[in-house]
């Protein structure tokens, strides 16, 4: 590899020193209790790179030493006065005495070495650590599908990804008392119950993880680390997958509920529509009936109007007649002619009474002649000479036959002329009887 390549590569893709130092503070719950093991606690950083971890430990009071095979990376450490050396990590461990260190760290180293050297590193670290001392190994997390399938291979010195379960088992198999998988550097927005999308399942898992293994020791030595080893860290693939699946289930439930509500609303709308259509039909029928009734009422009103008009006309005519009669009665001519109208009325009444009496006399005579045929034969020549008398006689005969006999009118009720005629008839009848 070209001189300076790896330092330039780290500067481009690993991130700034400030960013890396900030990320490394996630280990504070583990390294803070190490001060109870030594004063000051001794630390060895394998593959120290640019020295961010060494710088942080120095700030926390550790006596830190680093080793790396890339002299270009060590130059950045020397620029800051850090205690580093050029050399092999395994050789450096083997040169240290037993139970001499509080912490051994290897950040993004194990993915660069063969697996047998990894096991050797774990074994040698356990030897040099104090009881209760820690081994910290950080590496890219292949649970993050984007990391495991793509970004891991961006570094040309990487050999292969190491799953968390494998690295944890290596420490367990190497004799460490306990270990903890610490997932790191996930997006803060994905923590909690925030709804996630499919892309978050693919690349939202913590992109890095570390296995923190602790060497056995007395209970009092291990007690300060209990909180750190029992806490939860980061996001695993299974967690995000379950949250995404739960989101799908919740969405399906919400869709089913919405569909059920929509169906209910649809049914209700159909019922309302049916009711509206029925009501519309009823309204239409009622409107038609009202139209027919309105037409009948219009005809009745027209007829009533005509009658009212006719009544008004008749009343007007009657009023006009009353007015004319009142005017006539109030006129001077009516008052002047009043005696003449009275005399005329009397004359008309007298004529009517005379006609009635004459008619009664003739009817009586006709009945008498019917009883005496001889008198009838004697009077016939006389009647023929007077045509008017003949008609009167014939009418009297017909009336006498059609009407029942009446009582003879008293002679005092006859007019003088009728009385003379009656007497002449009586005299003629007497003569006839003598013969």
């Amino acid at each position: 590899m070209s001189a300076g390549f790896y330092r330039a590569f780290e500067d481009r893709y690993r991130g700034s020193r400030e960013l890396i130092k900030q990320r490394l503070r996630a280990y504070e719950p583990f390294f803070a209790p190490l001060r109870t093991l030594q004063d000051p606690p001794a630390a060895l950083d394998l593959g120290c790179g640019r020295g961010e971890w060494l710088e942080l430990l120095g700030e926390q009071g550790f006596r830190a030493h680093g080793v790396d095979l890339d002299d270009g990376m060590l130059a950045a450490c020397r620029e800051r006065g850090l205690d580093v050396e050029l050399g092999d990590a395994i050789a450096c461990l083997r040169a240290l005495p037993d139970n001499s260190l509080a912490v051994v760290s290897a950040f993004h180293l194990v993915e660069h070495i063969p697996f047998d050297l990894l096991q050797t590193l774990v074994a040698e670290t356990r030897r040099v650590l104090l009881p209760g001392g820690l081994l910290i190994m950080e590496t890219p997390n292949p649970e993050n599908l984007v990391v495991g399938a793509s970004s891991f291979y961006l570094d040309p010195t990487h050999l292969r990804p190491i799953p968390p379960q494998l690295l944890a088992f290596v420490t367990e198999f190497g004799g460490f008392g306990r270990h903890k998988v610490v997932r790191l550097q996930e997006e803060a927005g994905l923590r909690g119950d925030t709804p996630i999308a499919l892309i978050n399942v693919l690349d939202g898992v913590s992109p890095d993880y570390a296995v923190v293994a602790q060497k056995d020791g007395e209970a009092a030595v291990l007690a300060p680390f209990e909180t750190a080893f029992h806490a939860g860290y980061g996001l695993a693939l299974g967690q995000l997958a379950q949250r995404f699946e739960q989101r799908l289930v919740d969405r399906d439930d919400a869709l089913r509920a919405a569909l059920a509500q929509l169906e209910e609303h649809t049914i209700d709308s159909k019922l309302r529509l049916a009711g509206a259509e029925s009501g519309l039909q009823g309204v239409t029928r009622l409107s038609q009936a009202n139209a027919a009734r309105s037409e009948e009422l219009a005809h009745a009103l027209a007829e009533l109007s005509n009658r009212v008009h006719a009544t008004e006309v008749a009343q007007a005519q009657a009023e006009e007649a009353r007015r004319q009669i009142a005017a006539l009665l109030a006129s001077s001519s009516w008052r002047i002619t009043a005696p003449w109208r009275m005399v005329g009325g009397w004359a008309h009444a007298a004529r009517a009474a005379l006609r009635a009496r004459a008619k009664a006399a003739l009817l009586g005579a006709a009945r008498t002649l019917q009883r005496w045929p001889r008198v009838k034969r004697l009077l016939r020549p006389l009647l023929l000479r007077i045509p008017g008398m003949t008609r009167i006689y014939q009418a009297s005969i017909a009336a006498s036959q059609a009407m029942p006999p009446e009582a003879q009118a008293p002679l005092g009720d006859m007019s003088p002329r009728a009385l003379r005629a009656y007497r002449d008839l009586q005299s003629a009848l007497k003569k006839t009887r003598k013969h």
Side-chain angles (χ1 to χ4, degrees):
M1 185 176 295
S2 302
F5 176 85
Y6 204 73
R7 180 178 177 180
F9 178 83
E10 288 283 301
D11 290 341
R12 171 68 65 85
Y13 291 105
R14 181 154 173 78
S16 67
R17 292 182 62 85
E18 292 74 16
L19 175 63
I20 299 305
K21 281 182 66 175
Q22 182 62 36
R23 288 177 176 177
L24 291 172
R25 293 184 186 279
Y27 295 101
E28 187 172 0
F30 292 98
F31 66 69
L34 289 173
R35 298 186 182 92
T36 64
L37 302 182
Q38 278 181 317
D39 187 21
L44 174 63
D45 187 24
L46 305 176
C48 63
R50 297 180 305 185
E52 294 94 346
W53 175 248
L54 293 175
E55 188 175 4
L56 179 61
L57 290 179
E59 293 171 356
Q60 298 297 322
F62 282 76
R63 182 167 46 87
H65 178 74
V67 60
D68 201 292
L69 290 174
D70 192 311
D71 195 52
M73 299 294 288
L74 293 175
C77 296
R78 295 188 184 102
E79 291 171 1
R80 288 169 175 77
L82 300 175
D83 181 15
V84 296
E85 64 174 301
L86 181 65
D88 179 71
I90 302 299
C92 183
L93 282 171
R94 284 173 176 169
L96 293 173
D98 296 348
N99 304 317
S100 59
L101 298 176
V103 59
V104 174
S105 57
F107 291 95
H108 292 266
L109 172 67
V110 297
E111 68 270 16
H112 293 268
I113 63 176
F115 187 73
D116 56 346
L117 289 182
L118 172 61
Q119 289 183 291
T120 301
L121 183 150
V122 171
E124 287 296 324
T125 298
R126 181 177 177 276
R127 180 185 62 82
V128 301
L129 285 176
L130 294 166
L134 299 178
L135 168 61
I136 302 174
M137 296 181 291
E138 182 180 302
T139 186
N141 184 8
E143 290 179 328
N144 185 308
L145 300 180
V146 174
V147 171
S150 177
S151 63
F152 178 85
Y153 300 99
L154 184 62
D155 189 332
T157 64
H158 285 176
L159 295 181
R160 60 182 177 275
I162 302 175
Q165 298 89 338
L166 175 59
L167 190 58
F169 181 75
V170 169
T171 63
E172 181 183 335
F173 186 79
F176 281 84
R178 61 181 174 180
H179 62 268
K180 182 70 177 182
V181 175
V182 180
R183 293 177 174 85
L184 304 160
Q185 284 88 55
E186 71 281 350
E187 292 183 15
L190 295 178
R191 299 174 189 145
D193 297 329
T194 305
I196 61 174
L198 178 59
I199 188 62
N200 302 130
V201 178
L202 298 177
D203 70 354
V205 176
S206 302
D208 293 329
Y209 78 94
V211 172
V212 180
Q214 187 171 38
K215 186 177 179 177
D216 285 331
E218 295 180 0
V221 174
L222 301 179
F225 299 90
E226 290 298 323
T227 300
F229 273 92
H230 287 89
Y233 302 92
L235 295 173
L237 178 62
Q239 292 174 278
L240 291 182
Q242 289 177 357
R243 285 169 59 185
F244 179 69
E245 184 177 357
Q246 185 61 46
R247 181 190 176 191
L248 295 179
V249 171
D250 293 342
R251 185 180 66 180
D252 290 345
D253 292 342
L255 288 174
R256 291 190 184 94
L259 287 174
Q261 188 176 9
L262 180 61
E263 290 178 358
E264 182 179 352
H265 287 172
T266 301
I267 293 173
D268 186 55
S269 298
K270 289 181 178 178
L271 292 176
R272 291 182 180 179
L273 180 60
E277 291 178 349
S278 177
L280 181 59
Q281 293 176 357
V283 170
T284 302
R285 291 193 296 270
L286 181 61
S287 176
Q288 293 174 349
N290 288 338
R293 292 176 181 176
S294 298
E295 186 176 355
E296 294 176 358
L297 181 60
H299 292 163
L301 289 175
E303 184 177 356
L304 179 61
S305 177
N306 294 334
R307 291 181 179 180
V308 169
H309 180 69
T311 302
E312 291 176 350
V313 171
Q315 289 178 348
Q317 293 176 348
E319 184 65 25
E320 179 65 17
R322 284 193 296 271
R323 187 187 62 78
Q324 293 178 359
I325 291 172
L328 178 63
L329 294 177
S331 63
S332 57
S333 61
W334 180 263
R335 290 192 299 270
I336 295 173
T337 58
W340 299 103
R341 289 196 303 276
M342 185 181 297
V343 172
W346 291 342
H348 178 74
R351 286 196 299 270
L354 180 60
R355 289 192 188 96
R357 290 177 181 178
K359 182 177 181 180
L362 289 175
L363 287 175
R367 288 190 182 97
T368 301
L369 291 177
Q370 289 293 103
R371 289 193 299 269
W372 295 320
R374 292 181 182 178
V375 175
K376 182 179 180 180
R377 286 194 298 271
L378 291 175
L379 291 176
R380 186 173 183 181
L382 177 62
L383 293 173
L384 291 175
R385 292 190 184 98
I386 306 172
M389 289 298 295
T390 302
R391 289 193 296 273
I392 293 173
Y393 172 73
Q394 290 176 350
S396 300
I397 294 298
S400 65
Q401 292 176 350
M403 296 177 59
E406 297 180 358
Q408 186 174 359
L411 296 179
D413 293 336
M414 294 183 181
S415 62
R417 184 178 179 181
L419 183 59
R420 286 195 301 270
Y422 176 76
R423 288 175 177 173
D424 290 341
L425 288 173
Q426 288 290 337
S427 176
L429 286 173
K430 288 180 180 179
K431 290 180 180 181
T432 304
R433 289 174 180 170
K434 290 178 180 182
H435 294 287

